[in-house]
């Protein structure tokens, strides 16, 4: 059984940093992808960043949505997925979810291409 458990959310002021963690269990990385999504109140779920581990660790590929590129960094270490968030802005306020897919699929940012989801961790950025 695949389980994803997020942690690390909280409340910070604009310009601050947070590091989200997602412990992944029961999941086989080969051929799939891992990602962070977020959903703000009244908005659709949005892909934030994804990592495609590939068959070998030297072939890791990362993806970012334009609004976070240069501020956020996704990484993976053994069974934990991370999202380092620097330079946080009020518009980054949302519930953040980690997700895992058995296959890469047509798009890294399409929620429908992911098979497993965590319960979410809230990030609130005040101005």
């Amino acid at each position: 059984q695949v389980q994803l458990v997020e942690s690390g959310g909280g409340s910070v002021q604009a310009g601050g940093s947070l590091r989200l963690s997602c412990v992944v269990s029961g999941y086989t990385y080969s051929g799939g992808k891992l990602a962070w999504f977020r959903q703000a109140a009244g908005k659709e779920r949005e892909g934030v960043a994804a990592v495609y581990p590939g068959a070998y660790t030297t072939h890791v590929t990362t993806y970012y949505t334009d609004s976070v590129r240069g501020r956020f960094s996704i990484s993976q270490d053994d069974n934990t997925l991370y999202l380092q968030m620097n330079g946080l802005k009020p518009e980054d306020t949302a519930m953040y979810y980690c997700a895992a897919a058995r296959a890469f699929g047509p798009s890294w940012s399409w929620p429908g291409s992911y098979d497993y989801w965590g319960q979410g961790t809230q990030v609130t950025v005040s101005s």
Side-chain angles (χ1 to χ4, degrees), residues 35-106:
W36 287 98
F37 283 76
R38 65 186 179 187
Q39 188 166 18
K43 295 187 177 180
E44 293 185 351
R45 192 163 296 193
E46 172 192 31
V48 176
V51 58
Y52 174 48
Y56 306 98
T57 58
T58 57
H59 292 175
V60 173
T61 303
T62 57
Y63 304 87
Y64 297 92
T65 192
D66 288 344
S67 63
V68 307
R69 187 174 290 112
R71 299 188 296 123
F72 291 11
S73 177
I74 188 171
S75 62
Q76 173 202 348
D77 180 12
D78 292 333
N79 67 333
T80 304
L81 182 69
Y82 300 100
L83 185 68
Q84 178 66 44
M85 305 186 294
N86 299 325
L88 283 161
K89 303 176 180 180
E91 51 264 44
D92 295 318
T93 295
M95 184 72 77
Y96 283 70
Y97 301 89
C98 66
R102 293 189 297 266
F104 186 78

